[in-house]
Amino acid sequence: MNFGMILIWISFICGLGATFTSIKYYTSSDHKSGLLTKKLEMLCTLAITLSSIMLIIHLLGVNASYEYVYNHSSTDLSWFYRISAFWAGQQGSLLLWAWAILAMLMFVRYTGHTKEFAESKLMDITTMVTMAIVSVFLILLVIDNPFSAFRILPSGSIEPTNWNPFVTLYDVQYGQGMNPLLRNPWMAIHPPMLFLGYAAFTIPFVAAVANLITKDSRWTLISRDWMRIAWLFLTLGIGLGGFWAYEVLGWGAWYWTWDPVETSSLIPWITATAYLHAQSRSRYGEYGFLAPLLAIASFILVIFATFVTRSGIWASVHSWQDFTTEGLIIAIFLVILTGSSVILLGKRYLEEN
């Protein structure tokens, strides 16, 4: 039985369920809905954590019956690169990203100074929007499952299955291994730095959305530390990527060539830097419009960078594929994020002026 595939489905069902129950709790203050939301969040986090551990185990053991393992791991790779294969492909990187968002939400809800207002409307909206965002990532993993496995058809041919976890897996003796360009020590630190930074942008975004709805000034207590974390990880990711490109891609004396994906990751770094300056004054009642605008814009630009990378619209050394169903879902998600954010920001702007 393909337990990894089942865990991905469970995490998606729990994430979507937590989104709807949190909406019900926010609108009706139904205590049972609040308790159910917490249980579904934890179960979603547990399922995505177990699936991540399982994928790493398959990569280390080169269980090439799984398509993702076959494409990115092989026995000639050291353990160092087999673990790095976790984020070498689209499915693995999305799994890491979704897990990081859920882990950060748990930190926000249950640790530090933010747990003091865990039962407030501000935190309710923060949870609701975060789970909705995670659900989008999880539906991408359901459509293109990292535990897609090879099976034998009655005709004798072999093909991967993305939907049936009960088939007998075909025993593949070897994996083809990681792309040669990725077999570099920078592979172990550059991508996870970027994805952790991207994940951390989620918290300031949802806190800013909660502020626009509730006008609760405490949103900065949620956003300030996580924007610093996001900025730090993104800075490290961009810098390390520059060294990697200089070493491997032969860009001569330059660490930067204004590649479309490079540029799309730099823009949210700029808006995040601007937010860090604005937030220092927001606690005094200033930048009531600009601070949430910058927090929201930073996250939207991160999703735009993801769309650029995964849609294949622009030619880039970082692009993974042509435009597919996954690229369409990210595009729709980007449009919904942008449209709803413009409405909320427009309402705040009209109120202040």
Side-chain angles (χ1 to χ4, degrees):
M1 184 180 294
N2 193 335
F3 289 105
M5 186 180 292
I6 294 174
L7 285 170
I8 295 294
W9 291 354
I10 290 173
S11 63
F12 169 65
I13 293 169
C14 292
L16 197 61
T19 302
F20 286 112
T21 55
S22 62
I23 292 173
K24 182 179 180 182
Y25 178 63
Y26 176 74
T27 55
S28 64
S29 298
D30 179 40
H31 183 64
K32 291 183 179 179
S33 297
L35 290 176
L36 182 57
T37 298
K38 292 179 180 179
K39 291 178 181 179
L40 288 172
E41 288 170 21
M42 292 180 180
L43 186 56
C44 181
T45 305
L46 177 61
I48 206 74
T49 301
L50 290 176
S51 63
S52 299
I53 294 172
M54 189 171 292
L55 183 58
I56 291 174
I57 291 173
H58 289 323
L59 289 166
L60 283 171
V62 194
N63 189 348
S65 295
Y66 294 94
E67 186 180 17
Y68 188 84
V69 177
Y70 173 79
N71 290 332
H72 301 289
S73 185
S74 59
T75 54
D76 64 317
L77 293 176
S78 65
W79 68 268
F80 181 82
Y81 288 117
R82 294 184 197 181
I83 293 178
S84 300
F86 182 79
W87 46 79
Q90 174 167 263
Q91 301 98 319
S93 60
L94 285 175
L95 184 60
L96 173 63
W97 195 342
W99 173 83
I101 294 175
L102 286 168
M104 291 172 184
L105 178 62
M106 294 297 106
F107 274 105
V108 170
R109 282 180 65 87
Y110 301 110
T111 65
H113 59 274
T114 53
K115 69 178 181 180
E116 298 174 2
F117 46 93
E119 303 301 324
S120 66
K121 291 292 184 182
L122 180 70
M123 187 61 74
D124 293 342
I125 296 175
T126 297
T127 301
M128 181 198 313
V129 180
T130 302
M131 293 309 300
I133 291 170
V134 168
S135 296
V136 174
F137 286 97
L138 292 176
I139 197 172
L140 290 171
L141 290 172
V142 168
I143 292 172
D144 193 9
N145 204 300
F147 293 94
S148 173
F150 294 105
R151 62 170 177 170
I152 302 179
L153 297 177
S155 62
S157 60
I158 301 170
E159 72 169 16
T161 174
N162 201 43
W163 300 99
N164 190 348
F166 303 107
V167 298
T168 301
L169 303 187
Y170 177 71
D171 185 20
V172 180
Q173 297 297 321
Y174 62 92
Q176 68 178 9
M178 195 183 297
N179 185 322
L181 283 177
L182 301 181
R183 300 184 186 190
N184 187 281
W186 294 113
M187 180 62 189
I189 49 178
H190 165 61
M193 290 295 105
L194 278 179
F195 289 120
L196 290 174
Y198 283 173
F201 275 108
T202 308
I203 305 302
F205 168 79
V206 296
V209 169
N211 166 257
L212 292 175
I213 295 174
T214 65
K215 298 181 181 178
D216 191 332
S217 61
R218 294 178 298 176
W219 77 280
T220 56
L221 298 177
I222 298 176
S223 65
R224 66 185 185 190
D225 293 334
W226 289 104
M227 185 61 89
R228 291 168 182 163
I229 291 171
W231 185 91
L232 175 62
F233 276 118
L234 187 57
T235 302
L236 290 173
I238 292 173
L240 293 172
F243 282 107
W244 186 2
Y246 177 81
E247 179 180 320
V248 174
L249 296 179
W251 285 352
W254 298 98
Y255 295 87
W256 192 269
T257 62
W258 297 105
D259 177 89
V261 174
E262 283 183 332
T263 307
S264 65
S265 67
L266 176 66
I267 297 173
W269 181 89
I270 295 172
T271 56
T273 304
Y275 171 82
L276 292 175
H277 286 281
Q279 79 165 3
S280 63
R281 301 301 304 173
S282 62
R283 72 185 67 178
Y284 302 109
E286 300 177 18
Y287 300 120
F289 175 76
L290 182 61
L293 168 64
L294 290 170
I296 288 172
S298 297
F299 180 73
I300 290 176
L301 289 168
V302 163
I303 300 301
F304 175 73
T306 304
F307 173 71
V308 169
T309 305
R310 298 169 193 268
S311 64
I313 288 180
W314 284 294
S316 167
V317 295
H318 298 84
S319 295
W320 282 334
Q321 61 184 23
D322 296 326
F323 194 79
T324 61
T325 303
E326 292 81 4
L328 178 61
I329 291 175
I330 296 173
I332 295 172
F333 179 46
L334 181 61
V335 170
I336 293 173
L337 278 180
T338 305
S340 56
S341 298
V342 168
I343 292 172
L344 290 173
L345 288 166
K347 182 180 177 182
R348 170 62 63 87
Y349 180 80
L350 292 175
E351 288 173 352
E352 290 192 352
N353 293 273

